[in-house]
Amino acid sequence: MKTPPAPSGREIPEGDAMAGKKKREKNVDEFRKERTKEAQGHPRHFFKKKGKKYIGLGITHADRTNGRNNIPLKKNPEPNPKDKRPVYIRVEIEEVDENRLSARLIGWKFSGTDAEMVMELEKKLDAQRKEQEHRPKTSRKKRKK
C-alpha cells in the first residue's frame, strides 16, 4: 500500500517516513513527576524534549544522591509546600520517556536566583551530554597471546 503523494508530488515509501532523520531537540521549561516504581512521584525540571523523551534534572530533599552532592535551592519550586525541608537539585541529567511522566505541573517555578543558577547548570550539563553523544566510540584492540 502506497501513501498519498507528498505536496511536492513525489511518493513517500512505505514504512517510517522519518527514518534516517535526526530527532531535533526542542527547548521546554516545565515540571513533571515521574510515574515509575523506582522514582514514584519524584518531581523533575525538564529543559529539552527530543522525540518522545524529556531531558532534565531531578528535585529532591537529599543533599547527596548516588555519592554526588546535590545543589541546594533557596526556595522550594512547589507552589505551596507542606513540608519545610530543604530542597536540592540533582547534578545528573536524566532522560525519561514521555509515557512515564505525569501531566505538566501547574504553578511550579524556580525563584529568581534559583532560576539563574539552574539555567547555568542545565547549559553546562547539556553541553557535556552533547559532547559525549558526538564523541566517537573507541574500540580496544585485542592483544595477541
CSV table of all heavy atoms in Angstrom, one decimal, residues 1 7 10-12 20-21 23 33 42 53 64 66 69 79 81 93 95 109 124 126:
chain,number,residue,atom,x,y,z
A,1,MET,N,0.8,-1.2,0.0
A,1,MET,CA,0.0,0.0,0.0
A,1,MET,C,0.9,1.2,0.0
A,1,MET,O,1.8,1.4,0.8
A,1,MET,CB,-0.9,0.0,1.3
A,1,MET,CG,-1.7,1.2,1.4
A,1,MET,SD,-2.7,0.9,2.9
A,1,MET,CE,-3.1,2.5,3.3
A,7,PRO,N,3.2,16.9,-0.8
A,7,PRO,CA,2.9,18.1,-1.5
A,7,PRO,C,3.8,18.4,-2.7
A,7,PRO,O,3.4,19.0,-3.7
A,7,PRO,CB,3.0,19.2,-0.5
A,7,PRO,CG,2.8,18.5,0.8
A,7,PRO,CD,3.3,17.1,0.6
A,10,ARG,N,6.2,13.9,-5.1
A,10,ARG,CA,6.9,12.6,-5.1
A,10,ARG,C,6.3,11.7,-4.1
A,10,ARG,O,5.7,12.1,-3.1
A,10,ARG,CB,8.4,12.8,-4.8
A,10,ARG,CG,8.7,13.3,-3.5
A,10,ARG,CD,10.3,13.6,-3.4
A,10,ARG,NE,10.5,14.0,-2.0
A,10,ARG,CZ,11.0,13.2,-1.1
A,10,ARG,NH1,11.2,12.0,-1.3
A,10,ARG,NH2,11.1,13.7,0.2
A,11,GLU,N,6.4,10.4,-4.3
A,11,GLU,CA,5.8,9.4,-3.4
A,11,GLU,C,6.7,9.1,-2.3
A,11,GLU,O,7.9,9.2,-2.4
A,11,GLU,CB,5.6,8.1,-4.2
A,11,GLU,CG,4.5,8.2,-5.2
A,11,GLU,CD,4.2,6.8,-5.9
A,11,GLU,OE1,4.8,5.8,-5.5
A,11,GLU,OE2,3.5,6.8,-6.9
A,12,ILE,N,6.1,8.9,-1.1
A,12,ILE,CA,6.8,8.6,0.1
A,12,ILE,C,6.8,7.0,0.2
A,12,ILE,O,5.7,6.5,0.2
A,12,ILE,CB,6.2,9.2,1.3
A,12,ILE,CG1,6.2,10.7,1.2
A,12,ILE,CG2,6.9,8.8,2.6
A,12,ILE,CD1,5.4,11.5,2.2
A,20,GLY,N,15.8,7.7,9.3
A,20,GLY,CA,17.1,8.3,8.8
A,20,GLY,C,17.2,9.8,9.2
A,20,GLY,O,18.2,10.4,9.1
A,21,LYS,N,16.1,10.4,9.6
A,21,LYS,CA,16.2,11.8,10.0
A,21,LYS,C,16.6,11.9,11.5
A,21,LYS,O,16.1,11.1,12.3
A,21,LYS,CB,14.9,12.5,9.8
A,21,LYS,CG,14.6,12.8,8.4
A,21,LYS,CD,13.4,13.7,8.3
A,21,LYS,CE,13.2,14.0,6.8
A,21,LYS,NZ,12.1,15.0,6.7
A,23,LYS,N,16.3,13.3,15.2
A,23,LYS,CA,15.3,13.9,16.0
A,23,LYS,C,15.9,15.3,16.6
A,23,LYS,O,17.0,15.3,17.1
A,23,LYS,CB,14.9,13.0,17.2
A,23,LYS,CG,14.3,11.8,16.7
A,23,LYS,CD,14.0,10.9,17.9
A,23,LYS,CE,13.4,9.6,17.4
A,23,LYS,NZ,13.2,8.6,18.5
A,33,LYS,N,6.2,15.0,37.2
A,33,LYS,CA,6.5,13.9,38.1
A,33,LYS,C,6.6,12.6,37.4
A,33,LYS,O,5.9,12.3,36.5
A,33,LYS,CB,5.5,13.8,39.3
A,33,LYS,CG,5.6,14.9,40.2
A,33,LYS,CD,4.7,14.7,41.4
A,33,LYS,CE,4.8,15.8,42.4
A,33,LYS,NZ,4.0,15.6,43.6
A,42,HIS,N,8.5,11.5,42.1
A,42,HIS,CA,9.6,12.5,42.2
A,42,HIS,C,9.5,13.5,41.1
A,42,HIS,O,9.4,13.2,40.0
A,42,HIS,CB,10.9,11.8,42.2
A,42,HIS,CG,11.3,11.2,43.5
A,42,HIS,ND1,11.1,9.9,43.8
A,42,HIS,CD2,11.8,11.7,44.7
A,42,HIS,CE1,11.5,9.6,45.0
A,42,HIS,NE2,11.9,10.7,45.6
A,53,LYS,N,11.2,11.7,24.4
A,53,LYS,CA,12.0,11.7,25.6
A,53,LYS,C,12.2,13.2,26.1
A,53,LYS,O,12.4,14.1,25.4
A,53,LYS,CB,13.4,11.1,25.4
A,53,LYS,CG,13.3,9.6,25.2
A,53,LYS,CD,14.7,9.1,25.4
A,53,LYS,CE,14.7,7.6,25.1
A,53,LYS,NZ,14.7,6.8,26.3
A,64,ARG,N,22.7,14.4,49.1
A,64,ARG,CA,23.6,13.6,48.3
A,64,ARG,C,22.7,12.5,47.6
A,64,ARG,O,21.8,12.0,48.2
A,64,ARG,CB,24.7,12.9,49.1
A,64,ARG,CG,25.7,13.8,49.6
A,64,ARG,CD,26.8,13.1,50.4
A,64,ARG,NE,27.5,12.1,49.7
A,64,ARG,CZ,28.6,12.4,49.0
A,64,ARG,NH1,29.0,13.6,48.9
A,64,ARG,NH2,29.3,11.5,48.4
A,66,ASN,N,23.4,9.1,45.0
A,66,ASN,CA,24.4,8.3,44.3
A,66,ASN,C,25.8,8.7,44.5
A,66,ASN,O,26.6,8.7,43.5
A,66,ASN,CB,24.1,8.2,42.8
A,66,ASN,CG,22.7,7.5,42.5
A,66,ASN,OD1,22.2,6.7,43.3
A,66,ASN,ND2,22.1,7.9,41.4
A,69,ASN,N,27.1,15.2,45.4
A,69,ASN,CA,26.5,16.3,46.2
A,69,ASN,C,25.4,17.0,45.3
A,69,ASN,O,25.7,17.2,44.1
A,69,ASN,CB,27.5,17.3,46.6
A,69,ASN,CG,28.4,16.8,47.7
A,69,ASN,OD1,28.0,15.9,48.5
A,69,ASN,ND2,29.5,17.4,47.9
A,79,PRO,N,4.4,25.2,44.5
A,79,PRO,CA,3.7,26.4,44.9
A,79,PRO,C,3.4,26.5,46.4
A,79,PRO,O,3.6,27.6,46.9
A,79,PRO,CB,2.4,26.4,44.0
A,79,PRO,CG,2.5,25.1,43.2
A,79,PRO,CD,3.8,24.4,43.5
A,81,PRO,N,4.3,24.3,49.4
A,81,PRO,CA,4.9,23.1,50.0
A,81,PRO,C,4.4,22.9,51.4
A,81,PRO,O,4.3,23.8,52.2
A,81,PRO,CB,6.4,23.3,50.0
A,81,PRO,CG,6.5,24.8,50.0
A,81,PRO,CD,5.3,25.3,49.2
A,93,ILE,N,21.9,14.7,34.5
A,93,ILE,CA,20.9,14.8,33.5
A,93,ILE,C,20.2,13.4,33.4
A,93,ILE,O,20.8,12.4,33.4
A,93,ILE,CB,21.4,15.2,32.2
A,93,ILE,CG1,21.8,16.7,32.3
A,93,ILE,CG2,20.4,15.0,31.1
A,93,ILE,CD1,22.1,17.3,31.0
A,95,GLU,N,17.2,11.3,31.2
A,95,GLU,CA,16.3,11.2,30.0
A,95,GLU,C,15.1,10.3,30.4
A,95,GLU,O,15.4,9.1,30.8
A,95,GLU,CB,17.0,10.7,28.8
A,95,GLU,CG,18.0,11.7,28.2
A,95,GLU,CD,18.5,11.3,26.9
A,95,GLU,OE1,17.9,10.5,26.2
A,95,GLU,OE2,19.6,11.7,26.5
A,109,LYS,N,7.6,26.8,39.9
A,109,LYS,CA,8.6,27.6,39.3
A,109,LYS,C,9.8,27.9,40.2
A,109,LYS,O,9.6,27.7,41.4
A,109,LYS,CB,8.0,29.0,38.8
A,109,LYS,CG,7.5,29.8,39.9
A,109,LYS,CD,6.9,31.1,39.5
A,109,LYS,CE,6.5,31.9,40.7
A,109,LYS,NZ,5.7,33.0,40.4
A,124,LYS,N,25.5,23.9,31.2
A,124,LYS,CA,26.8,23.2,31.4
A,124,LYS,C,26.6,21.7,31.2
A,124,LYS,O,27.4,21.1,30.4
A,124,LYS,CB,27.3,23.5,32.7
A,124,LYS,CG,28.6,22.8,33.1
A,124,LYS,CD,29.0,23.2,34.5
A,124,LYS,CE,30.0,22.2,35.0
A,124,LYS,NZ,30.2,22.3,36.5
A,126,ASP,N,24.1,20.1,29.7
A,126,ASP,CA,23.7,19.7,28.4
A,126,ASP,C,24.8,19.7,27.4
A,126,ASP,O,24.9,18.9,26.5
A,126,ASP,CB,22.6,20.7,28.0
A,126,ASP,CG,21.8,20.2,26.8
A,126,ASP,OD1,21.6,19.0,26.7
A,126,ASP,OD2,21.5,21.0,25.9
